[in-house]
Amino acid sequence: QVQLVESGGGLVQPGGSLRLSCAGSGIIFSISAMAWYRQAPGKERELVAAITRGGGTTYADSVKGRFTISRDNAKNTVYLQMNSLKAEDTAVYYCNAGRPFYNDYVKGNYWGQGTQVTVSS
């Protein structure tokens, strides 16, 4: 069983920054692309950013230019750096491990528990 644990969420003012972390089992970071999702109350869970096994990245239009996804396989961790935060970024953020051995990201079956991000003045 693969376990993913998110951390780093919290309360920030508009324009502020947070860095989320997702730590997982060692093997997952060598065989899977990774992604961050978010879910606001009453809304569907949406893909925010993804990173391939080779380090290529993609972003939702709503966060492009503000968020950066990265990975450190040696630390078994994927990050989401969030800058210039807006109230509409408020959501629970989840990480997901993509399908094993797929180079590009395809949603997989392993999720973290989520970490709350609240952007409010």
Side-chain angles (χ1 to χ4, degrees):
Q1 182 178 6
V2 175
Q3 293 186 340
L4 302 173
V5 180
E6 300 96 335
S7 62
L11 174 64
V12 296
Q13 294 184 341
S17 297
L18 283 174
R19 188 180 73 162
L20 307 183
S21 298
C22 174
S25 59
I27 188 66
I28 201 70
F29 290 92
S30 64
I31 65 173
S32 300
M34 301 292 295
W36 285 96
Y37 287 72
R38 67 186 181 188
Q39 187 167 23
K43 295 185 177 180
E44 297 293 319
R45 189 171 298 186
E46 64 174 345
L47 178 64
V48 175
I51 185 166
T52 69
R53 293 173 67 192
T57 59
T58 58
Y59 299 92
D61 288 342
S62 59
V63 307
K64 193 172 297 182
R66 300 188 297 119
F67 290 11
T68 303
I69 187 172
S70 62
R71 62 193 299 160
D72 188 338
N73 289 351
K75 296 182 178 180
N76 301 323
T77 303
V78 61
Y79 303 96
L80 186 68
Q81 178 67 47
M82 305 185 295
N83 298 325
S84 302
L85 284 162
K86 306 174 181 179
E88 51 262 44
D89 295 318
T90 296
V92 178
Y93 285 71
Y94 302 87
C95 65
N96 175 255
R99 295 186 183 183
F101 306 109
Y102 281 48
N103 290 326
D104 294 336
Y105 174 73
V106 178
K107 184 167 63 177
N109 295 323
Y110 299 104
W111 299 85
Q113 83 290 344
T115 186
Q116 176 72 49
V117 172
T118 302
V119 185
S120 177
S121 60

